[in-house]
Amino acid sequence: EEILVNNKEELSKALKEVQPGQVILLKNGTWTDVEIKLKGKGTEENKIVLKAETPGKVFLEGQSYLRISGSYIVVSDLVFRNGYTPTSSVISFRTSSKELAYNCRVTNCVVEDYSNSERYDSDKWVEIFGKNNSFDHNALVGKRNKGVTLAVRLNSKESLENNHVIAYNYFGGRQNLGSNGGETLRIGTSHYSRSNSNTTVKNNYFEACDGELEIVSNKSCGNTYQNNVFDECKGTLTLRHGERTLVEGNYFLGNRKHNTGGIRVINEYQTVRNNYLSGLTGYRFRGALVVMNGIYNSPINRYNQVIGAKISNNLLIDSDHVQLCAGSDKERSATPIESTMKNNLFFTATNPNLFTVYDNIEGIDFENNYVNNGENTPVEEGFTFVDYQLEENEFGLRVPKKKLLKKIGFKGDVKLPVTKEEVGPSYYKKEIKEVTFNTGKVIKVAAGDDTLIDAAKKSEAGDILELEKGGVYGLSKILFVNHPITIRGAEGEKPVIKSEKAVFFKIENGGSLKLNHLVIDGADSPDQSGNCVVSTSKYSMNENYKFITLDCDIKQLNINHTFNFLKIYASTMADSILIENSTFTEVTGAILSLDKEIEDLGMYNAEYVIVKNSKFTKIGDTIADVYRGGTDESTFGPNVAITKCDFTDVGNSKRNKDHSSLAFHGVQNLQVADCNWKDSAPVKLFLTNGEPISNLKNCVFDNTEQIQSNNNSYTTKNIQVIN
Amino acid sequence: EEILVNNKEELSKALKEVQPGQVILLKNGTWTDVEIKLKGKGTEENKIVLKAETPGKVFLEGQSYLRISGSYIVVSDLVFRNGYTPTSSVISFRTSSKELAYNCRVTNCVVEDYSNSERYDSDKWVEIFGKNNSFDHNALVGKRNKGVTLAVRLNSKESLENNHVIAYNYFGGRQNLGSNGGETLRIGTSHYSRSNSNTTVKNNYFEACDGELEIVSNKSCGNTYQNNVFDECKGTLTLRHGERTLVEGNYFLGNRKHNTGGIRVINEYQTVRNNYLSGLTGYRFRGALVVMNGIYNSPINRYNQVIGAKISNNLLIDSDHVQLCAGSDKERSATPIESTMKNNLFFTATNPNLFTVYDNIEGIDFENNYVNNGENTPVEEGFTFVDYQLEENEFGLRVPKKKLLKKIGFKGDVKLPVTKEEVGPSYYKKEIKEVTFNTGKVIKVAAGDDTLIDAAKKSEAGDILELEKGGVYGLSKILFVNHPITIRGAEGEKPVIKSEKAVFFKIENGGSLKLNHLVIDGADSPDQSGNCVVSTSKYSMNENYKFITLDCDIKQLNINHTFNFLKIYASTMADSILIENSTFTEVTGAILSLDKEIEDLGMYNAEYVIVKNSKFTKIGDTIADVYRGGTDESTFGPNVAITKCDFTDVGNSKRNKDHSSLAFHGVQNLQVADCNWKDSAPVKLFLTNGEPISNLKNCVFDNTEQIQSNNNSYTTKNIQVIN
Ligand SMILES: [Ca+2]
Ligand SMILES: [Ca+2]
């Protein structure tokens, strides 16, 4: 029996009276703020079905969400977009803590960009409770706030040994969150991690799932990950808790993208076989293959020792890091035991020192593995050296010779087990969108008061606003940046921008800003403290932004104290901040204060911070203050490079509380090179966990205090001190 | 010639072509985002006029603003509301930094609640530049963001000796800002403060202008404040910079409201005469009459010495504090000289120790002043003791006997020089709005999932949501508090509220919350750090809020770390936070963390914090952490009282970084009394400038560290330590 419902009232009535064998059809169109709670006892023969009149033509928007409980319910063909859930998930396989779903299925649905505007308000898009449920052929694309995209929940015994199947789904485009909580798929939590989940994850396609270190966080026992593709995902399939999980036939394609990883092994009796891992650049916990140290008698939320791991028949191609006994430290001192690495092939032309061994690896039995000539090996026995020879096969993948494949016993063809076309709903176009600078038109802007504001209002994403040679541009209002935009001076004398407001440019959610060949002058700014040239929104931004300053002269930011160049707010995240070929003169505040996530939960404000070939003179506060607190190891950055810069009279304001010219706390990768300091405050380092890389070289400190650090795990080369 | 314009295009055209003698009429109705720049050279005979078709029927909303420059322009009858200016002011007497207004007038206009939603984004409502301008019969009501309401600007020599007249305006309802920058009227800034402004401010009515310490901040020379009324304003008319200003015939009516003040004298040759000051309770810089110490060779932005002040013929009635040599410290050591206090009457039944003398007052000549018997005097000579006798006169004001009035030479009747009816536009109703708790209806809410959410959505300001005796109320969504609302349990067993979300109740802008006779249980809260029971908006709130917890039991806030009771965000301000007759048990985070304004600019998060008769057991973090940083002296609070409380195992979480059970930084008035500590972290005080009052008495510290403080300017009485 089909019941077509036209509005919320009819839906509500239909849901209340629903009977086995009924099919509720949602009328095509947009439904706003619909709260669907579907409870029912269908049977295998007489299922309860909720679906769209036409697949993909029903849009659930605003504060809509779906909860199902009972048995044999099928929900299909719905699209969630333009909004976010007010509850803890968009699609939940329960209607209350006691009413769970059994033998239910959600299929052919889409959740797209349905993210809470509060970046760090946590929710999940899908939560699977109960038993024997299926989530298949769906697309989950563009989650941008905190919280796992899809979670299998084991928070009561009704949800254990669940035999759920997660198959043929498309997981697309999860941006770097800059915090723990950006997992795409999680099964279990530490609490029930020593119980069986018995969930199968197969034939799914993960693309650009860059949320955090864990693309997949396996936190229970007895799960199977089979024939999935991980296409340019930053992170790893992590066997974080629980034992006896099988990872088989999965394809990891890094394409040399930064921080792409493979499989990370922790806990007992894991099996990792017949996987293909290629072009993965990730280091440390993001390595192509990582086997960790554990903790003796580990608490349930820490790291169990690796016991009895079987890692075999895998192909590692052109990847950079295999990490053994990773994370070894005082606490994590239990090295892997009773484990084997057998019949694997490790071919790489990118890093001859593929293997890093952090502790005793006697507990791993190496046998019949193949490496290419010139590569290192963790031990002498168990590795055969052969020539590095790879070719693209008929399926477009780089492979060794057939003979070698045979020698390591790789099963089947080297071929993606599933394609993008085969996953998700057929009505949904699976693509990763990214709008960037300079993809639009050039708009010429005449000099004058507020002409730039008016032009910016009319601009579209990717446009370039071109200012007149030597023109003067006054701003009586804030220029809001709502999409990627370039403001650039025409060739010749740089145009000058002045503002009467506390902020020249404000980057709103979705915005990115490039300043090119300009003079920014603070002479008309209001006589009050705390002005800035660029700020982020004060509100949460759930889209990462970019901010680039090229060939600009910034001056006279000094009408009052604490006049900053960039002023950011919490709950914002820059993918990248770049300053190049620019000068900064007479600034009472800081240039880049990236230290607003102070709760020490591992959050931070910028992934890449690059400052090069620039001069800083008479700057009151810090040039770059980059902070990532806490001890969380789920994230990649911040990454900072400061090169070829001159600092003169920098950091000497009495309001520069930590009295630094550069200050880095918890930065994961720091490169400072070819810089000169004169009459300036010192460089301050605070190195935290995560084995950060911190290198300083070719620096001259003239009448400037020495580098200060909480410990000496940083390297210096050619540092000159003049007094 | 009258030109009626119907829309923005016609207005724009009319403005472009405007000629002397023309009258531009804005058609009645709502105009959104209108940017009016009126430039023109009118003459005394042929003025240029811009006005409403009907006074008070033209509403400028959204991002509208007005700028005028030239000469003999009159703007009248307009109402700005529902929005805020995108520029630095709503009404500006210039169109650019070089184009100022001369002989112009703005009259009969209203600016109401036209406040930037960003509390600390600064703008002004009116800026007067140029010369010989008039601002009269206007109403400026309800400014809630930072920035002076009306400023006379002296930032170039064209605006000096300006002879502006500000008269018959209504300045109404400016809430406590909690920061410097809440002045209602300012004339000049420190930079030009040694030049003549020669502005007259007369016959204005100030009501409830509570923004900050300075209702009026006089920062230039030669001004006149005459016949103004200050009705229940917290703060003072402050002669902050500049000399030779006359303060005459003004009426300050405190009605015993907290922190109401009178006149504060700084700098040279000020005259304060024939003023009436009554019922003023303010202390220190908010005193009824304050004469400050200065600094020898003061920098222009600090405090000039008082020289040649003439304070005479004033009536001080039933006020609490006259402060002489106020602010005396190492820096402010220049005592008043060549000054007289003559023919004044000081009658008070409220504080017999009316006078406080902080330094040498030999430089003040006291003559023929009258005090009542029993009162103190600053010196022996120059004061005559008479009986305290006051009566209400025919104008409703409390006065001494006629004979005494004559003796001190008080001129004229004791009578308000202007009434509320005489100021502002006649079409505008002048009233102070305040919505509070329990002014609405009682809504009974049945127990169940989300019934409370649904009831709250339908509620109106002042309503009471009454929950069933012993009922259980589940929340799957956040309950948003958008107006003052009470949630209260019916008599008998307290109902229980649980939530699946990270926040139970979120107070949005305009909201206030009272919890009464409830159990709040964290058992269903998500397993993540940082949950809370109540939070403010994460966004700026430009309306102050109240949060009251009465007779509640809060428990099991412990599913994960840092589970707080109240979690606030920056740019929010509580008028008052009260906890009474409640218990708190097993909380991993803090109870009241009021420490989010960390920029040390004198901002803070709550004016009154009162905790009484409550029990706190197993609380990980601080019970109350109240912070006001910086050295700014423009504000009143925070005020904190903690009485009759028990603290057991409080503050011992390793995440309680400062390891305190109570932590007060820069609190201005602290009372801790009749409390017991057991196995808890210590009380920490950080006393800053502003001569804070900090008293602790009748406290028992059992197995708890001693009080810690940065200095010993606090008092203790009957403190018991048990080990
Ligand atoms: Ca994680
Ligand atoms: Ca002030």
Side-chain angles (χ1 to χ4, degrees), chain A residues 284-496:
Chain A
R284 202 170 171 262
F285 291 3
R286 290 91 68 188
L289 180 62
V290 182
V291 180
M292 284 194 62
N293 260 18
I295 297 166
Y296 291 110
N297 302 311
S298 174
I300 200 159
N301 65 341
R302 296 293 295 150
Y303 289 84
N304 277 19
Q305 186 178 20
V306 172
I307 303 176
K310 290 196 163 64
I311 300 171
S312 58
N313 318 102
N314 299 292
L315 285 176
L316 260 99
I317 307 287
D318 282 348
S319 296
D320 293 354
H321 295 286
V322 173
Q323 309 265 292
L324 303 178
C325 306
S328 166
D329 59 20
K330 256 190 204 161
E331 187 200 20
R332 286 184 295 224
S333 59
T335 57
I337 57 169
E338 302 169 24
S339 296
T340 56
M341 285 184 73
K342 200 156 115 177
N343 301 329
N344 300 290
L345 179 135
F346 303 94
F347 265 23
T348 177
T350 53
N351 181 15
N353 298 308
L354 178 67
F355 290 92
T356 316
V357 179
Y358 293 91
D359 206 332
N360 186 332
I361 52 168
E362 285 175 11
I364 305 178
D365 185 20
F366 295 92
E367 203 179 313
N368 194 43
N369 297 294
Y370 287 81
V371 294
N372 54 270
N373 288 318
E375 204 180 309
N376 76 342
T377 60
V379 292
E380 288 191 7
E381 297 287 299
F383 287 87
T384 305
F385 286 88
V386 293
D387 276 353
Y388 174 85
Q389 271 198 331
L390 293 167
E391 56 190 17
E392 199 174 299
N393 73 2
E394 58 201 294
F395 308 110
L397 296 174
R398 278 165 70 77
V399 291
K401 290 198 166 154
K402 283 253 161 71
K403 205 175 62 184
L404 266 175
L405 283 177
K406 210 169 204 175
K407 276 191 176 164
I408 65 157
F410 191 89
K411 289 193 188 70
D413 287 329
V414 180
K415 179 191 169 189
L416 293 190
V418 68
T419 65
K420 235 167 116 169
E421 288 64 44
E422 292 170 309
V423 298
S426 56
Y427 62 79
Y428 181 73
K429 198 170 168 190
K430 296 170 285 284
E431 55 183 7
I432 303 297
K433 299 161 202 159
E434 206 194 358
V435 189
T436 53
F437 294 118
N438 301 11
T439 54
K441 57 192 178 301
V442 175
I443 302 172
K444 303 225 173 195
V445 185
D449 283 347
D450 291 337
T451 52
L452 186 52
I453 304 257
D454 296 338
K457 266 188 200 157
K458 287 178 199 143
S459 71
E460 292 175 302
D463 283 353
I464 298 166
L465 305 180
E466 190 173 282
L467 312 197
E468 286 175 19
K469 177 172 68 168
V472 177
Y473 293 78
L475 310 177
S476 76
K477 293 173 272 187
I478 297 173
L479 191 154
F480 290 98
V481 177
N482 301 303
H483 45 238
I485 198 156
T486 300
I487 302 176
R488 132 186 130 188
E491 232 177 281
E493 193 190 345
K494 290 171 185 151
V496 180

Side-chain angles (χ1 to χ4, degrees), chain A residues 44-74:
Chain A
E44 190 154 11
E45 295 73 37
N46 286 294
K47 295 194 170 65
I48 293 170
V49 177
L50 175 78
K51 60 181 194 176
E53 188 184 5
T54 309
K57 299 289 185 201
V58 170
F59 303 101
L60 303 174
E61 306 195 347
Q63 304 274 292
S64 300
Y65 62 92
L66 168 70
R67 294 185 162 195
I68 59 175
S69 71
S71 54
Y72 292 103
I73 295 172
V74 180

Side-chain angles (χ1 to χ4, degrees), chain A residues 490-671:
Chain A
E491 232 177 281
E493 193 190 345
K494 290 171 185 151
V496 180
I497 305 179
K498 299 178 180 191
S499 175
E500 294 175 17
K501 293 288 282 184
V503 180
F504 285 63
F505 310 105
K506 189 177 270 192
I507 301 176
E508 303 267 278
N509 200 30
S512 278
L513 178 64
K514 185 173 177 175
L515 302 173
N516 190 0
H517 196 62
L518 302 168
V519 173
I520 309 283
D521 188 335
D524 284 358
S525 295
D527 186 2
Q528 60 190 34
S529 64
N531 293 333
C532 65
V533 173
V534 176
S535 93
T536 64
S537 174
K538 285 186 180 177
Y539 297 175
S540 162
M541 292 170 68
N542 70 8
E543 293 190 50
N544 296 354
Y545 70 96
K546 293 184 177 67
F547 172 45
I548 296 176
T549 305
L550 291 182
D551 186 28
C552 289
D553 299 315
I554 287 82
K555 63 181 191 181
Q556 290 197 79
L557 310 187
N558 62 355
I559 188 150
N560 202 314
H561 71 81
T562 323
F563 199 146
N564 298 289
F565 179 56
L566 173 66
K567 185 171 179 175
I568 66 155
Y569 291 87
S571 298
T572 67
M573 174 79 186
D575 275 335
S576 54
I577 293 175
L578 167 66
I579 292 175
E580 191 172 350
N581 296 335
S582 295
T583 69
F584 295 76
T585 313
E586 296 193 304
V587 178
T588 57
I591 305 303
L592 302 175
S593 264
L594 302 164
D595 57 350
K596 301 303 175 232
E597 298 298 349
I598 53 170
E599 307 215 341
D600 282 348
L601 299 171
M603 290 139 77
Y604 54 101
N605 294 115
E607 189 66 24
Y608 296 96
V609 178
I610 298 162
V611 181
K612 55 181 170 184
N613 203 31
S614 295
K615 281 192 182 6
F616 301 87
T617 309
K618 293 189 188 168
I619 313 297
D621 211 310
T622 314
I623 300 305
D625 189 341
V626 184
Y627 186 97
R628 195 213 69 171
T631 56
D632 184 83
E633 295 177 283
S634 303
T635 51
F636 311 116
N639 300 279
V640 177
I642 314 277
T643 51
K644 295 189 182 160
C645 290
D646 288 346
F647 307 103
T648 306
D649 188 6
V650 165
N652 295 317
S653 163
K654 66 172 184 193
R655 293 179 191 270
N656 182 10
K657 277 197 186 166
D658 78 341
H659 191 59
S660 63
S661 55
L662 294 172
F664 305 114
H665 183 119
V667 166
Q668 291 299 295
N669 191 333
L670 172 67
Q671 306 294 337

Side-chain angles (χ1 to χ4, degrees), chain B residues 180-181 183 212 214 634:
Chain B
N180 190 10
E183 302 87 354
E212 62 145 277
E214 299 174 299
S634 303

